[in-house]
Amino acid sequence: MAEAKERERKPTPEERFAELIAIQEKEKEIAARLQRAREQAEQMLHKAREEAAKHKSQAQQTLQRECERRRAELHAQTQVEAQRIIAEGHVAAQQLIQRANPTHLLERLRREIFSQ
């Protein structure tokens, strides 16, 4: 019965004022915690963006180095192939010159005739 009376009793103005002050203090505390959480989230986001930019830069540098390495490798292969083709051309040209050189043919004919 005493409990029922206690529940039915209206708070005094002083109690209501104290309750309002407590609620305001709690709201301030929550607002401060929320602000700290926002600041931490912003710091984390900033740090994540910096890390992403760093990784992107590293990836671009790695890609650039790989492109340069591959380009140099292909250039070297092209140079080797060009030298091979030029050498084959020189050999073919020498053979054509020897076939077209009448003194060579005469010399060969002379050797054939006199060697018998």
Side-chain angles (χ1 to χ4, degrees):
M1 221 157 120
E3 287 179 27
K5 280 189 176 183
E6 186 73 28
R7 276 188 251 144
E8 289 178 15
R9 178 177 85 76
K10 289 188 176 181
T12 66
E14 292 82 16
E15 291 172 333
R16 288 183 58 205
F17 182 75
E19 222 177 278
L20 286 174
I21 296 294
I23 289 171
Q24 287 177 342
E25 291 299 318
K26 191 67 170 177
E27 285 176 344
K28 286 180 185 177
E29 179 187 333
I30 291 171
R33 286 179 24 206
L34 181 59
Q35 182 61 31
R36 284 192 303 272
R38 279 188 185 129
E39 289 170 359
Q40 286 178 342
E42 287 176 9
Q43 288 174 353
M44 290 170 60
L45 182 59
H46 180 71
K47 185 176 179 180
R49 285 184 176 148
E50 286 179 342
E51 281 293 313
K54 179 181 168 184
H55 289 299
K56 180 180 178 182
S57 176
Q58 288 173 344
Q60 287 174 331
Q61 290 173 357
T62 300
L63 179 61
Q64 182 66 31
R65 282 191 305 270
E66 181 61 24
C67 285
E68 289 171 4
R69 184 193 67 75
R70 185 69 178 135
R71 188 176 298 121
E73 182 180 292
L74 290 173
H75 179 71
Q77 289 174 357
T78 302
Q79 290 297 320
V80 167
E81 183 68 14
Q83 292 300 320
R84 185 187 63 76
I85 291 169
I86 290 169
E88 287 176 1
H90 282 301
V91 169
Q94 287 298 321
Q95 290 172 351
L96 287 174
I97 289 170
Q98 287 179 358
R99 280 192 218 143
N101 188 348
T103 56
H104 171 69
L105 293 174
L106 288 173
E107 182 62 32
R108 197 168 90 191
L109 183 60
R110 186 180 66 77
R111 274 185 268 139
E112 288 177 12
I113 292 173
F114 292 116
S115 64
Q116 294 177 358

